[in-house]
Amino acid sequence: MLEASDVPRVAEFYHGKSVFLTGAAGFIASVLLETLLRCGPGIKFIYILLRTKKKVQPEDRKEQIFNKKIFEKLKKETPELLKKVCVISGDVSLPNLGINEDDTHLLLKEVSIVFHCAAVVNFKKPLEFLLKNNVLGLSNIIELCRKMRKFEVLVYTSTAYSNCNHLNFPLKEQVYRLPFHAGKFLDALKNGDNEKLRELVVHCKPDWPNLYSFSKCLAENVIMDTASDLPVAIVRPSIVFSTWKHPIPGYVEENSGLLAVTLGIGKGFIKVVNADSNCKLNFVPADIVANAHVLAAWCVGTKRCTSPLIANCTATENLHIKIYEYAESIYQLVQTFPLPQSFAKHTNLIIVPCKYLYYITAAFYHHLPAFVLDGVLRILRKKPRIYSLYRFFDTVMSAMKFFWFHSFEFEKNNFEHLDKLIHPEDRKDLTLDFRDATFLGMALSLPKGSSFYNWKLDKKSQWERQRTKLRRHIQISCIQGIFLIICFLLIYWVISSIIR
């Protein structure tokens, strides 16, 4: 172990070194990329792995990344730093990451620090698809790290819910071992033996609520079974919300984590959820997650922490909030700052714990108005879409149901120890102390940093949007009122018939 005086500052550790980053187009990795450029100006190069997506080439995707609001300050003040970011064309699920020979040689020669953030975050994808991307991809990264001439540390982005099948709390900062060596899963994956894969998963108990969480647990086991001799850190964030402070407060991406549900509630689309109102959600700011990655690499790379370092990057007391408190915060947000493209007047969320009562409530508040309004759209020869959106929402909520009824507690000793190691000068930009952060405060900062709060994207002015919301409110209220009148008349007719 090194003495404090012998350990370099964070920027000094990264100075003159090259970094390899996967998943740069995603939310967490985008924030991490900005943090590395801002806090490690001496970094030689950052190589980002990107694949062609929706016919958009990797180089064009890099420009899409830099067009994100989070990079505006860098582009304005230190645009030369962005030139350090180089694209490597590839795909984590392919052998050798799908990287060509020249780029492979470049990475093996130059890279010292690897951040593997790429993952498929989807609760509904098939087992084989998830394991190919989330597990085999990590195995490919480990193979590449072993060949790197200057390799110093690998930081893997896992999830705090990788062991959510265990309900004995707190969940510890350790890898929960599976009954089989990770090599068995990897062999079945490489051989395309899907039947063997399913057989292995069946014997892993207790059951996971979704295959995504299982894939992340298996990935952690891959590290323990195939990379225990390498300097490795595993960072486990919980529910990642917006940035708290850096580089701007309130930055978040629409497809990240729970935000799609948050926007649905804020715009008045989601009115009912099946959940326990006292269940706690565990939020962590995105910039804290990025800081944890940067510090984990520094700590393991300088041998200040032993490998593997496992850090649960999870909420403080202020961000470990009940679902009804989460709903109240969203209500305060949209009352103070109305959302562009909203279409409902009220955003009060009805939280129904009983499954069958939820079906009835959702049918009244969601499906009935959607069915009628889609019928009107058909008559007007327009594409019906409202009912299908609610069906999609039902699918999403079904996949998340486990987390709407179970609260989790996490051990955070390693995470808190990381914060204690920070030099006072580094604490300004890379602190892990976010005790002052509150969910309401972060929610109210969304208009400052989030692109979806740009009223220029709304085809209507704020006054026209308010009128649209009022008109939609009247339409839905009339539909529900007519339905209730019909139900009352039917009940009256049935009772009258019985009495007669």
Side-chain angles (χ1 to χ4, degrees):
M1 299 288 285
L2 298 175
E3 297 295 327
S5 58
D6 298 325
V7 178
R9 292 272 302 279
V10 174
E12 292 172 356
F13 169 70
Y14 284 92
H15 187 83
K17 297 174 184 175
S18 292
V19 173
F20 181 47
L21 170 65
T22 69
F27 177 41
I28 292 177
S30 290
V31 180
L32 173 57
L33 176 59
E34 190 279 336
T35 305
L36 286 168
L37 290 169
R38 175 168 45 84
C39 299
I43 288 176
K44 187 176 180 182
F45 289 108
I46 299 178
Y47 299 100
I48 58 174
L49 185 73
L50 294 173
R51 60 186 172 89
T52 300
K53 186 175 182 181
K54 296 180 180 177
K55 298 182 180 181
V56 181
Q57 296 302 310
E59 280 291 342
D60 294 327
R61 292 189 68 197
K62 184 183 84 166
E63 293 307 311
Q64 290 179 347
I65 294 171
F66 286 155
N67 285 334
K68 293 180 178 181
K69 196 169 184 176
I70 198 172
F71 290 98
E72 286 182 354
K73 187 175 180 180
L74 276 178
K75 289 168 72 174
K76 181 179 180 180
E77 298 178 359
T78 51
E80 66 277 4
L81 292 178
L82 301 182
K83 296 177 182 178
K84 296 185 178 187
V85 180
C86 306
V87 172
I88 300 293
S89 180
D91 187 328
V92 293
S93 66
L94 299 176
N96 196 43
L97 306 174
I99 304 174
N100 64 42
E101 187 175 338
D102 290 341
D103 284 343
T104 299
H105 178 73
L106 176 65
L107 295 178
L108 297 184
K109 178 184 176 183
E110 294 290 335
V111 171
S112 304
I113 303 160
V114 178
F115 293 98
H116 181 43
C117 303
V120 173
V121 185
N122 191 302
F123 293 171
K124 288 295 185 179
K125 289 290 186 181
L127 173 68
E128 298 78 16
F129 181 84
L130 285 170
L131 297 193
K132 184 179 179 182
N133 284 274
N134 296 350
V135 179
L136 191 56
L138 172 61
S139 179
N140 294 334
I141 289 286
I142 291 171
E143 289 180 14
L144 187 69
C145 290
R146 288 194 177 280
K147 300 173 185 176
M148 290 176 174
R149 300 170 196 172
K150 300 178 180 179
F151 176 72
E152 293 187 33
V153 61
L154 163 65
V155 180
Y156 171 61
T157 309
S158 186
T159 171
Y161 301 100
S162 58
N163 304 296
C164 60
N165 57 324
H166 296 273
L167 295 177
N168 49 326
F169 304 127
L171 292 177
K172 298 182 178 180
E173 290 175 305
Q174 67 182 43
V175 173
Y176 287 65
R177 301 313 302 269
L178 297 174
F180 307 108
H181 190 281
K184 287 191 173 183
F185 293 91
L186 292 173
D187 289 341
L189 273 169
K190 292 174 182 177
N191 296 329
D193 192 345
N194 296 336
E195 186 175 335
K196 179 66 174 178
L197 267 181
R198 295 189 187 97
E199 182 183 330
L200 290 170
V201 173
V202 166
H203 287 90
C204 296
K205 300 293 182 181
D207 291 332
W208 276 260
N210 58 72
L211 293 172
Y212 166 73
S213 297
F214 171 77
S215 74
K216 301 302 274 186
C217 176
L218 176 55
E220 293 181 4
N221 275 257
V222 167
I223 290 175
M224 297 302 293
D225 290 340
T226 69
S228 58
D229 58 324
L230 296 178
V232 178
I234 300 173
V235 178
R236 293 173 173 164
S238 53
I239 303 171
V240 182
F241 202 64
S242 65
T243 52
W244 175 41
K245 287 186 176 180
H246 300 294
I248 52 174
Y251 174 78
V252 71
E253 295 175 12
E254 289 190 57
N255 59 348
S256 61
L258 198 63
L259 191 72
V261 176
T262 302
L263 289 177
I265 296 171
K267 292 183 178 183
F269 178 76
I270 299 173
K271 301 177 179 66
V272 188
V273 294
N274 182 206
D276 177 359
S277 61
N278 289 310
C279 175
K280 288 189 172 182
L281 300 175
N282 196 293
F283 291 100
V284 61
D287 48 337
I288 296 296
V289 177
N291 292 352
H293 281 71
V294 173
L295 293 172
W298 164 76
C299 193
V300 174
T302 57
K303 297 181 173 56
R304 193 72 189 272
C305 295
T306 56
S307 173
L309 168 68
I310 302 164
N312 287 337
C313 185
T314 54
T316 58
E317 185 177 349
N318 284 342
L319 291 177
H320 197 198
I321 62 171
K322 295 179 180 179
I323 289 178
Y324 80 83
E325 295 173 320
Y326 157 76
E328 288 175 354
S329 296
I330 300 305
Y331 177 75
Q332 289 188 50
L333 167 66
V334 297
Q335 289 299 305
T336 308
F337 303 103
L339 271 164
Q341 299 176 317
S342 299
F343 57 87
K345 184 179 179 183
H346 298 297
T347 56
N348 289 339
L349 185 68
I350 303 171
I351 304 170
V352 184
C354 175
K355 178 173 68 174
Y356 300 106
L357 182 58
Y358 166 74
Y359 291 151
I360 296 170
T361 311
F364 181 71
Y365 283 99
H366 290 172
H367 301 131
L368 172 65
F371 183 78
V372 175
L373 292 173
D374 273 355
V376 174
L377 289 174
R378 285 191 179 92
I379 294 171
L380 298 175
R381 295 185 177 181
K382 295 182 179 180
K383 184 179 179 180
R385 61 186 186 279
I386 303 174
Y387 188 78
S388 62
L389 286 174
Y390 277 120
R391 295 296 298 170
F392 174 74
F393 166 71
D394 290 340
T395 302
V396 172
M397 293 304 295
S398 174
M400 296 174 59
K401 184 176 179 180
F402 180 84
F403 302 98
W404 292 93
F405 284 91
H406 292 87
S407 301
F408 292 87
E409 300 287 341
F410 301 95
E411 180 182 84
K412 297 176 60 178
N413 297 333
N414 292 342
F415 178 75
E416 292 172 352
H417 181 63
L418 270 178
D419 186 60
K420 295 175 182 176
L421 298 177
I422 305 174
H423 190 281
E425 291 298 317
D426 288 331
R427 189 172 295 279
K428 181 176 70 171
D429 292 321
L430 291 169
T431 183
L432 297 182
D433 183 357
F434 59 109
R435 286 172 293 180
D436 294 338
T438 65
F439 184 77
L440 177 59
M442 291 176 64
L444 291 175
S445 70
L446 290 177
K448 302 175 185 176
S450 301
S451 58
F452 55 79
Y453 252 106
N454 183 0
W455 273 91
K456 294 179 181 178
L457 299 176
D458 199 318
K459 296 179 181 179
K460 301 178 179 179
S461 66
Q462 291 196 39
W463 180 81
E464 290 173 323
R465 179 57 59 186
Q466 292 293 338
R467 191 172 64 173
T468 299
K469 287 167 62 176
L470 178 60
R471 184 172 66 248
R472 181 60 58 86
H473 173 69
I474 293 172
Q475 290 172 344
I476 292 175
S477 297
C478 288
I479 292 168
Q480 292 170 334
I482 292 170
F483 175 78
L484 290 175
I485 291 171
I486 293 172
C487 288
F488 176 78
L489 291 175
L490 284 172
I491 293 171
Y492 177 79
W493 178 77
V494 170
I495 293 174
S496 298
S497 299
I498 294 172
I499 293 175
R500 291 176 186 172

